Amino acid sequence: MDVDRGASGEAAAPHLTVVLADDHLVVRAGMRLLLSQDPTFEIVAESTTVPETVRAVERHRPSVLVLDLTLTGRSSLRSIPELLAVSPRTRILVLTMQEDPAFAREALRTGAAGYLLKEAAAEELLGALRQVAAGAAYVQPSLGARLAVAGPEDDDSLTAREVEVLSLLALGHTNQEVSESLHVSVRTVETHRARIRDKLGTETKADLIAAARERGLPA
């Protein structure tokens, strides 16, 4: 097999194309600056909404999609299978502030190759990008330990959707507002709310806020 080589005779570094999906301009600017310093990476598109991201991935078929879990007020978690359907070879690295293991578990279950918190150092981000592009999985070590300890069958372990509902309720949204935000029925929100109450004992607004804060969610 032929391999491109530089003047030194060593194999050239792989060329990895990247789509950035994040609705925060500052985050994207920081990513552009970081990746521009490494010739391995080329940012081919940026997006701020789920539909934009699907179109960008379908058009460019990047090596890696760096995906925030919230894009312009909408969860992108449920879009992971669709993104992989339009570009099966694209590897998805979730880069988020959501540190609850339920989000990481659901993202990986639905097809993401990696899960990294935005607090990670620049070197870790670059390493995670290379690792998922090479076909391996990557989970931030501190979060991976929590996943291993919690396990998927813990009685008080919330699903990713339940975490989303908890976060919105803790911020003061009504069941109707939660249903509109997550594109589900009010009855579904009520069901999730009942399960959250059963698992965590959240009877009051103060209980919801406390439970959200324990999981690093805004409240």
Side-chain angles (χ1 to χ4, degrees), residues 178-189:
V178 174
S179 74
E180 293 172 357
S181 176
L182 299 181
H183 305 285
V184 298
S185 69
V186 173
R187 179 63 63 85
T188 297
V189 174

Side-chain angles (χ1 to χ4, degrees), residues 4 26 31 44 64 73 83 86-87 90 101 105 128 136 140 162 185 192 209 211:
D4 291 336
V26 172
M31 288 282 290
V44 294
V64 181
L83 290 162
V86 300
S87 183
T90 294
R105 187 180 297 115
Q140 188 157 333
E162 288 166 354
S185 69
H192 286 309
I209 292 173

